[in-house]
Amino acid sequence: MTSIKKPDWLKVPYDPQAVDQLAGMLKDLKINTVCKAANCPNMGECYARHTATFMAMGENCSRNCRFCNVTCQRPTALDPEEPQHIAEVVEDLNLRHVVITQVTRDDLPDGGAAHMAACVRAVKERCPGTSVEVLISDLKGSSEALQTVLDARPDVMNHNVEMVERLQAEIRPQGNYQRSLEVLRKSKELAPDILTKTGFMLGLGERDDEVDQLLDDILATGCDIVTISQYLQPSKDHWPLDRYVTPEEFELWRDKALAKGFKYCASAPLVRSSYRAREAFEAAQQYGAVHQDGSPQKD
């Protein structure tokens, strides 16, 4: 584990009562959250606000990325009742925006696309006023699988590029930089009206010029929303932390992303791809209804 001292800006409040309350509710319905599996630093804040990112298709991932805290073991069988259980929790919590992510399931012929689509449809049928964001794997590059998810009409299609191109082979060997970019590009091509979103981390050993190129590569896919976050090393066995990036540097990257043309950018040490996702969704929607000069678009 890195010996670099954690700075004060990464210390967050934690509400154990709120965490236990919502965690117990989700456990009763056998629903997983990426919040707990990925050891998210915002878990206390989000649980206190009764928000969470649901993780479909079990707790075990079929890939073993060196930055991620999600367990890499033999995946479990799909639970056909999971989509309805997720929809039930969304209704009970009266959520206006829900994020449904997945463990990577390379063991399934479609990468879990049909199951993700079922989750989207279940939420929309039970809670028609709730917007739904999906955070998917690369689905092994299958356009057919991607189309299956898009046909369920999520409001946001999210797939994380994770890091600059140079570091991908060492840290994310079962992923692929160009394949991830293609997921974003193909999503916009197949469903232009669905917002696309991606995220990546800093603090892995990237250079500024590589981050700048990464933003250009993402924007070239037509991606609408980008999140930029601090890498936090989960354990000594994971990829070593290179440095803690200051809040001021994150603000500079946010300004640069917006100047390049992204509709929305969340960039801060504690940002995660699903953090305040409704705010990002609504801001990107509003951006689409207004010209960059501030004048309303004409029909």
Side-chain angles (χ1 to χ4, degrees):
M1 180 70 86
T2 179
S3 60
I4 305 174
K5 183 180 178 182
K6 182 178 288 188
D8 289 341
W9 63 75
L10 284 173
K11 297 175 182 178
V12 296
Y14 185 78
D15 185 341
Q17 183 177 356
V19 169
D20 291 344
Q21 181 181 2
L22 184 53
M25 177 183 182
L26 297 174
K27 183 178 180 181
D28 288 343
L29 289 171
K30 299 180 181 179
I31 294 176
N32 301 305
T33 69
V34 73
C35 320
K36 183 176 180 181
N39 198 24
C40 177
N42 301 310
M43 184 167 58
E45 176 188 347
C46 294
Y47 276 24
R49 295 166 59 191
H50 271 215
T51 63
T53 298
F54 304 118
M55 187 167 70
M57 294 184 273
E59 295 181 292
N60 298 332
C61 184
S62 60
R63 297 185 188 177
N64 191 21
C65 299
R66 298 183 64 190
F67 67 88
C68 185
N69 198 49
V70 176
T71 304
C72 177
Q73 292 182 0
R74 182 186 296 275
T76 56
L78 295 181
D79 178 1
E81 297 182 358
E82 183 175 52
Q84 290 302 325
H85 286 164
I86 289 175
E88 180 181 336
V89 174
V90 172
E91 182 180 45
D92 288 347
L93 293 178
N94 194 28
L95 299 181
R96 291 176 56 191
H97 183 86
V98 60
V99 181
I100 305 170
T101 186
Q102 64 162 112
V103 289
T104 301
R105 293 295 302 262
D106 291 333
D107 59 304
L108 300 174
D110 68 348
H115 192 83
M116 289 294 284
C119 291
V120 175
R121 287 193 295 269
V123 172
K124 286 188 169 285
E125 289 170 5
R126 189 158 188 159
C127 310
T130 299
S131 50
V132 181
E133 176 176 329
V134 290
L135 175 51
I136 64 169
S137 73
D138 60 27
L139 302 174
K140 297 181 287 188
S142 169
S143 294
E144 182 180 355
L146 181 60
Q147 183 72 69
T148 295
V149 180
L150 291 168
D151 285 345
R153 303 299 300 167
D155 297 277
V156 181
M157 172 67 79
N158 187 347
H159 171 68
N160 285 334
V161 177
E162 304 292 8
M163 64 202 66
V164 300
E165 183 174 15
R166 175 177 56 86
L167 298 174
Q168 298 260 340
E170 284 190 275
I171 306 178
R172 190 177 172 239
Q174 294 161 289
N176 181 280
Y177 183 72
Q178 293 300 329
R179 187 166 64 206
S180 285
L181 291 173
E182 182 64 10
V183 169
L184 299 171
R185 188 195 68 77
K186 196 70 176 178
S187 293
K188 187 58 72 175
E189 176 186 307
L190 293 172
D193 59 322
I194 293 178
L195 291 169
T196 50
K197 178 179 178 181
T198 193
F200 63 88
M201 299 169 288
L202 301 179
L204 293 155
E206 65 287 325
R207 302 188 308 267
D208 284 356
D209 63 300
E210 293 175 316
V211 179
D212 195 68
Q213 184 62 56
L214 173 57
L215 286 170
D216 287 342
D217 290 346
I218 294 170
L219 190 63
T221 70
C223 187
D224 302 292
I225 302 168
V226 63
T227 61
I228 309 174
S229 59
Q230 171 69 57
Y231 169 60
L232 298 174
Q233 184 180 347
S235 76
K236 63 180 178 60
D237 297 322
H238 287 81
W239 183 261
L241 172 71
D242 178 69
R243 69 186 181 107
Y244 289 117
V245 180
T246 67
E248 292 75 19
E249 288 180 81
F250 275 107
E251 288 182 13
L252 290 174
W253 284 118
R254 175 184 179 275
D255 292 345
K256 182 165 287 191
L258 293 175
K260 285 176 180 292
F262 286 97
K263 293 180 179 178
Y264 184 89
C265 175
S267 178
L270 289 172
V271 162
R272 291 297 179 265
S273 48
S274 303
Y275 184 55
R276 296 186 179 176
R278 180 167 65 88
E279 178 182 318
F281 167 64
E282 292 177 348
Q285 273 194 318
Q286 184 178 12
Y287 181 102
V290 177
H291 282 301
Q292 284 187 310
D293 65 4
S295 61
Q297 289 183 344
K298 297 180 181 179
D299 294 334

